[in-house]
Amino acid sequence: MTALRRLGLLAPLAAVSLAGCGLNSVPTAEENVNAKWANVQNQYQRRSDLYGNLVETVRAAANQERTVLREVTEARSRANSVQLTPDQLSDPQAIQRYADAQARLSAPLVFRQLQEAYPQLQTNANFRDLQSQIEGTENRIAISRQDYNEAVQGYNTTIRTFPDAIGARIIHGAKPKVPFQAVTPGAETAPRIDFNAS
Amino acid sequence: MLRLILAALALATAACDAQASGSADGHRAKLLSGLPALTGRVVDRADLLSVEGEARLTAKLAALEARRTDQLVVVTLPSLEGRTIEQVGLGLGRGWGIGQKDKDNGVLLIVAPNERHVRIEVGYGLERTIEDHEASRMIAEVLIPAFEVGAYERGILAGADTIIAELDRSPLVKAKR
């Protein structure tokens, strides 16, 4: 057996060893980030849809349309118009734009204003159901954001640490992803249900 | 020379594989830090249930799982230790791994009497079965009226019955894939 042929036999071994060095781990981590991001967007979309129902419910129940309702409608169309594709997840400004567009629909904020404008709505069963659905979705948004941020952290660690960084830099040209921060203070926690609330 | 290349490759392979393992257990431990261990279907840390009440509840929860594979776990906590009940719900739900792994059909009923909070935490597989507004109604109409007069055991038993009845009305959760 010549030395050259022996080297040829090493090729599969080299492939195996490269597979550990970011060839697979980087795309896997990236897929994970993208999947977690899709979930963030789905939850925000659900919240927006529920707000659509809420606006209709309030319109049907109240005889006067107050400012807050128009603001929610505008905030909805703005939030729906800002979408992010997976390749924008490395762009801090794009993420910021998305977060800003969503912040105006933060449930604690909206419901505080609604309560002031329409105090009588608390006795409307439809309204209360939608409120609990929006608040539940707010909680799921917080969880999905946390999961996304963890995926980003995992991805960024993968592309920066030896040995995966070799494959990340040479083969994938990987750029770090940006975590998603909440914009509104207090948006992190959905309102609580108190024993005395009802 | 060849041996040298082989050795180098082997070393690189070992290094590349080394960091792939681990971390899942650490993650679970982090979620559960400061929270109680899953000691049974009823984890009555706040001591709201009598011995008979706890036994009756445990039997109902076991029967539910035998019938539908859905897992309902009841937990009472003397303190949330500064967390929101949503954070506790997420930590316990994921940390304990309630529900069948391939169905995510777990439900947690969490009662924190001293902070006066109650929550029904629902696994992804049952989100369409017990929706947010349904959970919210169960809490407002079944649990809170009993808790307000100090009847914690009655409220918890009635709450569990309501959750179980809602599950029994719905189709079984299908396994993923």
Side-chain angles (χ1 to χ4, degrees):
Chain A
M1 199 187 274
T2 67
L4 203 65
R5 276 192 61 194
R6 280 195 205 173
L7 270 174
L9 285 175
L10 283 178
L13 192 63
V16 167
S17 105
L18 266 177
C21 285
L23 201 66
N24 291 325
S25 62
V26 174
T28 305
E30 184 162 32
E31 276 314 307
N32 185 34
V33 170
N34 293 349
K36 298 289 157 67
W37 176 253
N39 195 29
V40 171
Q41 290 207 129
N42 287 344
Q43 299 295 352
Y44 274 120
Q45 186 58 52
R46 171 158 167 79
R47 187 180 69 173
S48 173
D49 294 345
L50 288 166
Y51 270 124
N53 299 346
L54 188 84
V55 168
E56 291 311 310
T57 301
V58 175
R59 273 201 188 120
N63 42 21
Q64 204 181 356
E65 183 154 334
R66 302 204 184 268
T67 323
V68 52
L69 218 55
R70 209 174 48 243
E71 284 174 359
V72 169
T73 309
E74 280 165 17
R76 264 194 78 218
S77 57
R78 201 170 338 129
N80 287 349
S81 68
V82 183
Q83 296 292 326
L84 284 193
T85 56
D87 51 307
Q88 287 177 294
L89 295 177
S90 303
D91 178 355
Q93 281 168 339
I95 298 263
Q96 191 60 45
R97 263 198 310 279
Y98 187 86
D100 288 342
Q102 298 296 343
R104 183 59 192 78
L105 287 175
S106 153
L109 187 72
V110 172
F111 282 100
R112 203 179 318 123
Q113 291 172 329
L114 278 171
Q115 202 154 16
E116 275 168 26
Y118 302 101
Q120 75 280 14
L121 276 177
Q122 280 308 311
T123 56
N124 182 311
N126 257 343
F127 179 83
R128 283 217 309 257
D129 280 353
L130 282 164
Q131 178 169 5
S132 55
Q133 285 173 310
I134 290 171
E135 286 167 357
T137 306
E138 192 88 28
N139 184 48
R140 271 182 222 110
I141 288 172
I143 295 168
S144 68
R145 223 165 37 202
Q146 202 177 306
D147 289 345
Y148 166 76
N149 286 347
E150 271 168 29
V152 165
Q153 204 186 3
Y155 174 83
N156 289 349
T157 307
T158 300
I159 65 166
R160 278 174 185 149
T161 37
F162 183 83
D164 289 346
I166 306 167
R169 206 158 303 161
I170 299 172
I171 302 160
H172 300 293
K175 272 188 289 196
K177 309 270 183 200
V178 186
F180 190 99
Q181 309 293 351
V183 178
T184 330
E188 209 64 59
T189 48
R192 310 165 185 195
I193 300 158
D194 196 282
F195 284 4
N196 290 331
S198 59
Chain B
M1 179 59 193
L2 194 62
R3 275 196 193 164
L4 209 68
I5 296 171
L6 263 174
L9 267 179
L11 205 70
T13 311
C16 289
D17 290 343
Q19 53 175 188
S21 57
S23 94
D25 286 345
H27 188 64
R28 185 167 274 217
K30 203 179 89 192
L31 280 170
L32 278 172
S33 74
L35 293 171
L38 180 62
T39 47
R41 296 177 196 274
V42 180
V43 182
D44 184 21
R45 286 301 189 95
D47 215 7
L48 301 177
L49 300 169
S50 65
V51 176
E52 313 83 74
E54 188 170 329
R56 253 170 58 210
L57 188 53
T58 303
K60 281 180 199 212
L61 304 181
L64 171 74
E65 186 175 354
R67 197 161 62 239
R68 306 183 43 95
T69 79
D70 300 340
Q71 270 182 351
L72 171 58
V73 171
V74 176
V75 52
T76 74
L77 297 168
S79 167
L80 297 174
E81 285 161 21
R83 308 178 207 217
T84 66
I85 200 158
E86 289 84 7
Q87 288 166 337
V88 169
L90 181 69
L92 288 179
R94 288 191 178 174
W96 282 352
I98 303 295
Q100 314 300 326
K101 212 169 188 171
D102 57 343
K103 296 179 182 168
D104 207 347
N105 57 345
V107 182
L108 275 170
L109 172 58
I110 308 164
V111 181
N114 295 315
E115 283 95 344
R116 304 175 73 82
H117 283 312
V118 58
R119 178 166 173 80
I120 298 172
E121 185 79 33
V122 178
Y124 285 121
L126 288 171
E127 269 183 354
R128 297 276 85 86
T129 307
I130 299 178
E131 293 199 48
D132 293 330
H133 65 285
E134 292 167 326
S136 169
R137 281 185 177 194
M138 291 176 192
I139 289 170
E141 292 166 13
V142 180
L143 291 152
I144 290 176
F147 291 174
E148 273 178 342
V149 295
Y152 283 104
E153 178 163 307
R154 178 162 61 79
I156 290 170
L157 285 169
D161 281 343
T162 311
I163 294 170
I164 291 169
E166 186 63 41
L167 293 172
D168 276 332
R169 263 199 295 277
S170 313
L172 293 173
V173 178
K174 289 196 186 74
K176 284 174 265 184
R177 273 163 299 195

